[in-house]
Amino acid sequence: MSSADETRNTSAKRDLDEQALFYHRHPKPGKLGVHATKPLGNQRDLALAYSPGVAAPCLAIADDPSVAADYTSRSNLVAVVSNGSAVLGLGNIGPLASKPVMEGKAVLFKKFADIDVFDIEIDATSIDRMVDVVSALEPTFGGINLEDIKAPECFEVEEQLRAKMGIPVFHDDQHGTAIIVSAAVRNALLLAGKRIEDVRIVTSGAGAAALACLNLLVSLGAKVENIICTDKEGVVYEGREKGMDRWMAVYAKNTEARTLADVIAGADIFLGLSAGGVLKPELLESMAEKPLIMALANPTPEIMPDLARAVRKDAMICTGRSDFPNQVNNVLCFPYIFRGALDCSATSINEEMKIAAVDAIAALAREEVSEVAAKAYGSETPVFGPEYLIPSPFDPRLILKIAPAVARAAETTGVALRPIADWDAYLDRLNRFVYRSGLVMKPIFAFARNSEKRVIFSDGEDERVLRAAQVLLEDKVCRPILIGRPSVIETRLQRFGLRIRPHQDFEVVNPEDDPRYRDYVDHYFSKVGRRGVNPDTARALVRTNTTVIGAVSVSRGDADILICGLAGRFSRQIRDIRQIIGVAPGVGRLSGLSLLISQNATTFFADTYVQDSPTAENLAEIAQLSARMIEHFRIKPRAALLSHSNFGTADTADARKLRAALALVREQMPDLEIDGEMHGDTALSRELRQRVMPNSTLTEDANLLLFPTLDAANITMNVVKTMTDALHVGPILLGTAKPAHILTPSVTSRGVVNMAAIAVAEALQRDEEAKG
């Protein structure tokens, strides 16, 4: 390495260090905090949370310890425990210095599986001391994750704790690595056409992680006689004394070979968990056909992938680094294994549960890659093969696959104290964690399923639409029609690893060559010919404006629903919809409804996108259209007209407008629960409402908020969305003659799916109403 390269690397490391120190210090030190899950706002709350009310759950648990899962956080609480004796890349830095790492582990548990964690750094080095300290924690936790404890002590500590404790004890450095490695091996052997019982495995490294990997591979069918271990002292052979222990001795061989070079010939799998650069390129030449090279040392692998490929183009390569394909990262499994184990109150994490996790991870890699995982890989979506043996750590489906598999295995093997009683409900709960819209959208999808409605997407070449189309087809929600160039759609489907195919699974409208082009031009001109559009402009727009094409398709009856908006200005798209599809009979103006789903509430906001300054009549119409849409979600609408005036405390024009709107709604839709004008906090707090208006007609907190102006609605919705990290569904366009919705440019593929399902449910509801 040149001096210039060394200077650049030193400077880059210094910058990273400074940023990391700032990240950990601000805005408050550390990465973890504790928040209350119950209200504590008055004397009654205090009496329930502490004395005297807390006696009731205490006595219930004393009578039946299993109900601790019902009355405390124990069943969702894990201890990440370390003595700091083997911190990855840092060595024996001690318990206090290891705390940032353990806090980081806790954050991963919470982020990926919604598991609460206390990180516990213990000043204990002897096996007996560690076992005594950790085992005494059992009443507090639902599981123990041992971390960064050096070998061979870690083997003994885990073994004794598993025997002594009635909750899962899992040393992630061993078993987490082993599970990911085993999943990669499963898929690599599938691609190579080899059987695990036949392959020859050579390791570099015989520590905790390496031995755990070998033990799990043996459980999966690998033969001990086909495994040779090497470490810094050379080959693990019978009679060797230096650096040996009883766990390594299982793999000792009667051999004269003493070095890695002596044993690598003919190996199908190289498993490296040792040090950078130990696998020299020339050693790869003698390995078996289509070898799997797992160079997992960090930050420098046993061999860099480019060097390995230069010698063996047929090799499949895994590393522990995120900047290469096939990253072996423990976050792929440990949050989800604990999720499944905690959810069924497992007493341990046994071999069958680990194998279930292996199978789930390996199977997921063979499925199409999700949008979130694709983003983690950049512009080229990986497809199952040598460069993609294991999923991305950011694939949201990991929890949906691994946790249920682990919980089922726990039940089958008899270690689940509280087996999952309702698997559909359990999967729903996991789905809600992954996709926060899950619970709210469930009635919509149930209603829309098995629909034959034709949904035309104006942005048919967009990755999000392509991914959404596959989900919609799998869920049997609709028949997608995509507007776009067929060659572009085909190329992108292949790039993103999607299996749906144009003209087989969905229709394609090619704007450059549509046999209906002249008919579409005539239809479009009949709608806009007296609105400043001449025939030449009409011909150009029907060739180039995909929203116009989609709207004409719906207007003519070639499609039932339009979804557009990923490109172009909202105002132009709504103009095209208004002019071509038109407004429904009896509706004065189009309006927009937005749904925000936060951890604490599901709230609708209107009108957030369309009408700048609605009149009282407009507001009354918006309230009624919004209420009918909310009923599609099987939610009872409760509306509040929001103002700076609180039940007459001010007499401004906007306050008077809201009062007039309230009177109109009560006259036109007397069954709608609505009140106002009121403050925003009054609308969302029954307690506040009782103080200022004891006879308010709102019986519960409002879930439909109506605003005097577009500015007020849009600003409030976006501020709340950002402050609460709420999921936005919408805008849902209200009042069109046929269902049509304009997406926002920031929408995800899941958002596209949600809007399509909402539109299908809307269309089906209209059909039912038309039948009487």
Side-chain angles (χ1 to χ4, degrees):
M1 183 184 292
S2 69
S3 59
D5 288 337
E6 288 180 358
T7 301
R8 276 194 296 272
N9 288 341
T10 302
S11 176
K13 185 180 185 306
R14 188 184 304 116
D15 288 345
L16 181 62
D17 289 347
E18 290 175 358
Q19 291 172 32
L21 291 172
F22 183 89
Y23 172 87
H24 281 77
R25 182 179 295 159
H26 299 283
K28 61 187 294 187
K31 298 189 286 281
L32 287 177
V34 175
H35 72 278
T37 60
K38 299 293 189 296
L40 196 63
N42 53 46
Q43 190 65 37
R44 179 65 173 170
D45 292 343
L46 182 59
L48 293 171
Y50 199 54
S51 180
V54 75
C58 290
L59 293 173
I61 294 168
D63 289 341
D64 179 3
S66 70
V67 300
D70 300 317
Y71 297 126
T72 74
S73 62
R74 182 175 184 265
S75 64
N76 195 52
L77 187 62
V78 166
V80 170
V81 182
S82 180
N83 67 355
S85 59
V87 179
L88 182 64
L90 300 174
N92 187 358
I93 60 174
L96 183 59
S98 76
K99 187 171 178 63
V101 179
M102 303 312 130
E103 285 190 357
K105 190 84 172 191
V107 170
L108 296 178
F109 267 108
K110 188 65 178 177
K111 169 67 176 176
F112 288 101
D114 198 26
I115 293 172
D116 296 321
V117 167
F118 291 158
D119 62 292
I120 298 178
E121 295 73 33
I122 58 175
D123 187 6
T125 53
S126 73
I127 291 172
D128 289 345
R129 173 71 169 155
M130 282 188 274
V131 170
D132 286 345
V133 170
V134 177
S135 62
L137 300 173
E138 183 169 349
T140 302
F141 296 99
I144 303 291
N145 184 93
L146 300 175
E147 192 78 17
D148 293 348
I149 299 171
K150 72 181 180 72
E153 288 91 332
C154 61
F155 299 120
E156 190 68 48
V157 168
E158 187 193 34
E159 191 173 283
Q160 289 191 31
L161 288 173
R162 284 170 58 88
K164 195 171 186 179
M165 300 180 77
I167 58 175
V169 178
F170 187 81
H171 187 204
D172 185 46
D173 301 326
Q174 295 181 57
H175 309 300
T177 303
I179 287 165
I180 310 305
V181 163
S182 297
V185 168
R186 269 230 197 280
N187 281 339
L189 296 183
L190 180 66
L191 290 170
K194 299 177 181 179
R195 300 191 312 160
I196 192 168
E197 55 265 35
D198 299 331
V199 296
R200 189 163 174 272
I201 303 169
V202 172
T203 78
S204 174
L211 293 175
C213 291
L214 295 178
N215 292 341
L216 188 53
L217 289 172
V218 169
S219 294
L220 292 170
K223 303 295 186 185
V224 173
E225 56 266 30
N226 292 339
I227 298 170
I228 296 183
C229 293
T230 71
D231 63 5
K232 62 184 179 181
E233 305 299 339
V235 171
V236 175
Y237 61 89
E238 291 180 359
R240 193 182 108 173
E241 296 181 0
K242 190 173 182 181
M244 291 292 289
D245 56 53
R246 63 185 175 93
W247 294 278
M248 290 170 60
V250 173
Y251 297 100
K253 294 292 182 293
N254 183 8
T255 177
E256 298 299 318
R258 293 296 182 264
T259 67
L260 177 62
D262 295 338
V263 297
I264 195 71
D268 298 278
I269 298 171
F270 169 81
L271 174 59
L273 285 152
S274 54
V278 301
L279 182 62
K280 304 305 179 187
E282 59 269 21
L283 298 182
L284 272 62
E285 295 176 0
S286 62
M287 289 187 72
E289 182 184 0
K290 296 181 181 177
L292 172 61
I293 300 167
M294 309 195 80
L296 306 182
N298 258 325
T300 306
E302 284 79 1
I303 186 169
M304 294 298 288
D306 56 338
L307 293 177
R309 286 195 185 88
V311 178
R312 294 298 301 263
K313 297 192 186 314
D314 61 338
M316 291 170 276
I317 305 169
C318 299
T319 71
R321 290 174 42 154
S322 60
D323 52 346
F324 295 112
N326 295 323
Q327 183 195 13
V328 174
N329 188 329
N330 289 7
V331 79
L332 272 166
C333 72
F334 73 80
Y336 317 118
I337 288 174
F338 270 99
R339 181 74 279 158
L342 292 172
D343 290 340
C344 65
S345 294
T347 56
S348 66
I349 295 174
N350 57 32
E351 206 73 1
E352 291 83 358
M353 293 160 75
K354 288 185 281 184
I355 291 172
V358 170
D359 291 340
I361 294 167
L364 183 56
R366 300 193 292 269
E367 296 183 12
E368 292 84 0
V369 176
S370 72
E371 177 192 19
V372 177
K375 287 180 180 177
Y377 277 86
S379 58
E380 293 296 321
T381 303
V383 178
F384 176 62
E387 297 287 293
Y388 187 66
L389 297 172
I390 43 182
S392 160
F394 293 97
D395 193 318
R397 299 169 299 174
L398 285 162
I399 192 172
L400 304 177
K401 303 291 185 180
I402 300 173
V406 169
R408 287 184 190 278
E411 181 177 349
T412 301
T413 55
V415 298
L417 295 180
R418 295 160 65 105
I420 305 298
D422 185 335
W423 283 100
D424 289 339
Y426 180 58
L427 292 172
D428 273 349
R429 181 159 67 84
L430 295 178
N431 262 294
R432 292 199 300 273
F433 172 70
V434 177
Y435 304 111
R436 284 177 292 172
S437 59
L439 178 63
V440 177
M441 291 297 300
K442 184 177 179 180
I444 295 290
F445 279 97
F447 188 33
R449 192 156 289 122
N450 296 317
S451 160
E452 289 296 309
K453 292 296 180 184
R454 300 160 298 169
V455 179
I456 190 163
F457 294 89
S458 64
D459 304 288
E461 296 177 1
D462 191 284
E463 175 185 355
R464 292 165 291 182
V465 170
L466 295 172
R467 292 186 181 281
Q470 178 153 304
V471 173
L472 291 165
L473 284 164
E474 288 174 349
D475 290 351
K476 300 179 181 178
V477 171
C478 66
R479 290 166 48 195
I481 304 170
L482 274 54
I483 302 175
R485 295 160 293 177
S487 60
V488 173
I489 291 173
E490 280 275 17
T491 299
R492 292 181 179 177
L493 286 172
Q494 292 177 11
R495 182 194 304 166
F496 304 139
L498 301 174
R499 66 172 178 272
I500 56 172
R501 290 293 171 259
H503 308 299
Q504 298 175 27
D505 302 304
F506 61 91
E507 295 179 44
V508 175
V509 174
N510 182 0
E512 296 175 348
D513 183 22
D514 187 345
R516 304 167 298 184
Y517 171 70
R518 293 185 184 278
D519 294 335
Y520 272 41
V521 171
D522 291 343
H523 187 91
Y524 177 54
F525 189 70
S526 73
K527 297 284 187 179
V528 299
R530 294 182 181 274
R531 298 186 182 186
V533 178
N534 61 42
D536 287 340
T537 302
R539 282 190 285 272
L541 288 173
V542 174
R543 184 73 77 189
T544 59
N545 187 322
T546 55
T547 298
V548 167
I549 298 169
V552 170
S553 179
V554 171
S555 179
R556 278 170 41 96
D558 296 333
D560 302 303
I561 295 158
L562 170 64
I563 302 291
C564 61
L566 294 180
R569 294 176 60 181
F570 188 92
S571 58
R572 291 181 181 174
Q573 313 235 20
I574 201 163
R575 176 202 63 195
D576 292 334
I577 290 171
R578 187 186 295 114
Q579 290 180 347
I580 302 167
I581 293 177
V583 178
V587 174
R589 298 179 65 187
L590 301 181
S591 56
L593 177 68
S594 288
L595 165 60
L596 290 188
I597 304 169
S598 70
Q599 289 188 347
N600 300 318
T602 297
T603 311
F604 295 85
F605 295 70
D607 169 10
T608 46
Y609 277 89
V610 184
Q611 298 186 36
D612 341 348
S613 186
T615 65
E617 290 74 18
N618 298 147
L619 279 170
E621 182 176 80
I622 290 168
Q624 294 172 71
L625 291 172
S626 298
R628 293 191 187 105
M629 177 57 70
I630 293 170
E631 288 171 348
H632 292 167
F633 291 85
R634 303 297 186 265
I635 295 173
K636 181 180 180 180
R638 295 185 174 91
L641 292 150
L642 301 190
S643 171
H644 73 292
S645 171
N646 207 22
F647 296 105
T649 58
D651 196 36
T652 61
D654 277 348
R656 290 192 295 272
K657 177 173 70 173
L658 293 169
R659 289 173 212 149
L662 176 64
L664 287 169
V665 174
R666 284 180 169 168
E667 178 186 339
Q668 297 163 2
M669 197 175 183
D671 292 337
L672 175 60
E673 195 172 305
I674 184 170
D675 209 346
E677 81 287 6
M678 70 179 77
H679 290 172
D681 55 354
T682 304
L684 299 175
S685 169
R686 185 178 182 182
E687 184 179 349
L688 281 178
R689 228 172 20 258
Q690 288 288 333
R691 291 181 198 165
V692 298
M693 185 55 61
N695 62 348
S696 171
T697 52
L698 272 184
T699 59
E700 301 289 345
D701 296 347
N703 55 22
L704 169 58
L705 306 181
L706 299 141
F707 298 83
T709 65
L710 176 63
D711 277 350
N714 190 273
I715 291 168
T716 303
M717 187 266 294
N718 280 300
V719 168
V720 172
K721 178 178 73 172
T722 302
M723 291 181 68
T724 62
D725 191 30
L727 176 70
H728 178 216
V729 177
I732 304 167
L733 196 57
L734 304 174
T736 54
K738 295 183 178 181
H741 299 284
I742 305 168
L743 303 170
T744 58
S746 61
V747 73
T748 64
S749 66
R750 187 69 189 182
V752 178
V753 171
N754 285 339
M755 284 308 306
I758 289 170
V760 169
E762 178 187 2
L764 292 171
Q765 185 66 39
R766 292 188 187 200
D767 290 348
E768 289 186 4
E769 290 169 358
K771 292 175 184 176

